[in-house]
Amino acid sequence: HMHGLYQQFLRSLASSGVLIGVASKNDSALVQEAFGRKDLLLKKESVFPFEVHWHRKSESVQRILKAWNIGPEAVIFLDDSPMEAAEVKTAFPAMECLVFKKHDYQAIWDLLLHLRASFGKASISKEDSIRLDSLRHAKPLLDASVQDGAPSDDFLQRADSFISFDFTKKSKDGRAFELINKTNQFNLNGKRFTESEWRKFLADPATFLVTASYQDKYGPLGKIAVLLGKLEDQKIQLHSWVMSCRAFSRRIEHHSLKKLFEKFGADEIAFNFEPTQRNGPLQEFFTELTGETPHPGIHMSRTVFLEKVPPLFHRVEETEDGRN
């Protein structure tokens, strides 16, 4: 009964956009047979990816993290073997690794409560509902990546990508607010907003809010980036900038800056950058673009940006106040 409850709970998490992957030391045919059972409550369609082989579980976890494009600190690893949990914990100290005590019903119930507290959501957004499909569809992008993780110009050109930039200041945009407050890896400074701070910042006529939505021939990602700032003379003060990990490697970040320069006719962007323990991907972006490690107070002129920016192949739409 507890295993059935556990499956039902995992299915509920998956339906709300929580990612669930499988790392199993087993024969692939046996795992396929298990997930083909009609009485299984957690369906195969709710799980991605499957890592089934006889190598170390930490190797499987590494590939799952790459497929999800997130850091270990955002993941909980569960295994019924204390040794396997310890092996993964050794490889990923920042990951929470827990033992599934299959014969201890109270421990399983406590585990479900812990998972609900960690991943439960009061409401589900459009982006939550398409998260798993977008990752599945992004596999060609992952496969096309070269050793440094960057897809080729030719691949990106054939992706038929489309970005919609919305400059409407919607203080009640729950997705933009969520991205600002929950995104860690591509985050300019890690700053979080209370609801009152959010409304106050957007109420200032000098401020701007940009949300970017993306899709390509592999599927839609929904709203995946938020830029928050203020225009002072011909200079943009970029206070906050976040992007979903699902949008990495598509040069959306480059086009976001290009759009800011074009929209406001600015000569320079000053970034309110602060290094955090988790925003390594944001720091890597600046390093690749400027050739140097980013530092607080970093700024970039329009001229330098246009010299450094790689080729961009997206079709672009701009929306303001609900109109094109």
Side-chain angles (χ1 to χ4, degrees):
H1 293 299
M2 287 302 291
H3 278 274
L5 181 62
Y6 178 57
Q7 287 183 45
Q8 192 172 33
F9 181 76
L10 291 181
R11 187 175 69 177
S12 175
L13 288 181
S15 69
S16 68
V18 176
L19 302 175
I20 298 173
V22 165
S24 177
K25 285 185 177 179
N26 217 321
D27 289 322
S28 180
L30 292 177
V31 174
Q32 289 183 23
E33 181 182 341
F35 273 88
R37 287 173 48 173
K38 293 183 178 180
D39 61 343
L40 197 70
L41 297 177
L42 179 65
K43 301 302 182 183
K44 184 178 179 180
E45 295 73 27
S46 298
V47 180
F48 175 81
F50 283 84
E51 284 289 333
V52 183
H53 47 69
W54 295 99
H55 300 295
R56 292 192 302 271
K57 289 281 182 81
S58 59
E59 294 179 19
S60 295
V61 171
Q62 179 65 56
R63 283 191 283 270
I64 291 171
L65 291 177
K66 184 176 181 181
W68 290 348
N69 211 2
I70 59 177
E73 72 283 345
V75 173
I76 293 179
F77 176 79
L78 291 169
D79 202 289
D80 60 6
S81 165
M83 187 173 71
E84 298 288 8
E87 192 268 326
V88 172
K89 183 66 175 179
T90 300
F92 302 97
M95 185 179 295
E96 185 175 6
C97 298
L98 303 175
V99 178
F100 184 89
K101 299 178 180 179
K102 51 189 176 183
H103 300 302
D104 186 339
Y105 286 178
Q106 183 60 51
I108 295 175
W109 181 253
D110 291 341
L111 172 65
L112 297 185
L113 293 177
H114 178 65
L115 293 176
R116 186 182 67 176
S118 299
F119 298 113
K121 301 191 73 170
S123 60
I124 302 173
S125 68
K126 172 188 174 184
E127 284 71 24
D128 293 326
S129 64
I130 66 174
R131 181 173 290 122
L132 183 60
D133 281 342
S134 70
L135 286 169
R136 278 202 182 97
H137 293 150
K139 192 174 186 301
L141 184 73
L142 189 66
D143 294 341
S145 297
V146 294
Q147 286 187 346
D148 65 356
S152 67
D153 285 2
D154 181 59
F155 180 86
L156 292 174
Q157 193 168 14
R158 289 185 283 108
D160 190 25
S161 55
F162 175 77
I163 307 176
S164 177
F165 291 103
D166 189 346
F167 285 81
T168 310
K169 287 206 289 185
K170 303 173 185 174
S171 63
K172 295 183 180 180
D173 187 341
R175 174 59 177 169
F177 185 68
E178 178 188 54
L179 276 172
I180 285 284
N181 279 341
K182 291 190 175 181
T183 305
N184 292 310
Q185 292 181 294
F186 197 98
N187 190 315
L188 190 60
N189 46 41
K191 177 177 172 54
R192 310 305 194 192
F193 285 81
T194 65
E195 289 190 18
S196 60
E197 290 172 336
W198 177 254
R199 288 194 299 268
K200 182 179 179 180
F201 190 93
L202 294 181
D204 184 343
T207 64
F208 64 82
L209 168 68
V210 186
T211 57
S213 301
Y214 176 90
Q215 67 178 42
D216 56 29
K217 69 179 184 180
Y218 303 108
L221 298 188
K223 290 181 183 176
I224 42 75
V226 178
L227 300 97
L228 197 65
K230 181 180 287 190
L231 185 64
E232 298 177 356
D233 298 323
Q234 294 300 107
K235 189 174 184 178
I236 294 171
Q237 301 285 347
L238 196 59
H239 290 258
S240 297
W241 182 18
V242 299
M243 187 173 71
S244 167
C245 57
R246 292 180 294 129
F248 288 177
S249 302
R250 302 169 197 243
R251 299 183 186 169
I252 300 168
E253 57 272 49
H254 301 83
H255 219 137
S256 297
L257 295 184
K258 182 174 184 285
K259 174 53 68 173
L260 285 187
F261 278 119
E262 292 174 347
K263 174 69 175 179
F264 298 112
D267 299 323
E268 184 177 84
I269 298 177
F271 299 91
N272 182 26
F273 168 74
E274 291 290 342
T276 72
Q277 292 183 335
R278 298 186 180 183
N279 68 358
L282 183 281
Q283 296 182 47
E284 290 173 10
F285 165 72
F286 275 126
T287 301
E288 291 171 3
L289 190 62
T290 66
E292 58 185 34
T293 303
H295 54 82
I298 184 175
H299 56 88
M300 181 176 294
S301 70
R302 182 190 185 108
T303 302
V304 169
F305 173 75
L306 293 176
E307 289 175 353
K308 301 283 189 179
V309 65
L312 303 176
F313 306 105
H314 320 96
R315 292 177 292 117
V316 174
E317 173 190 76
E318 180 184 322
T319 303
E320 188 171 5
D321 296 330
R323 302 186 299 272
N324 289 345

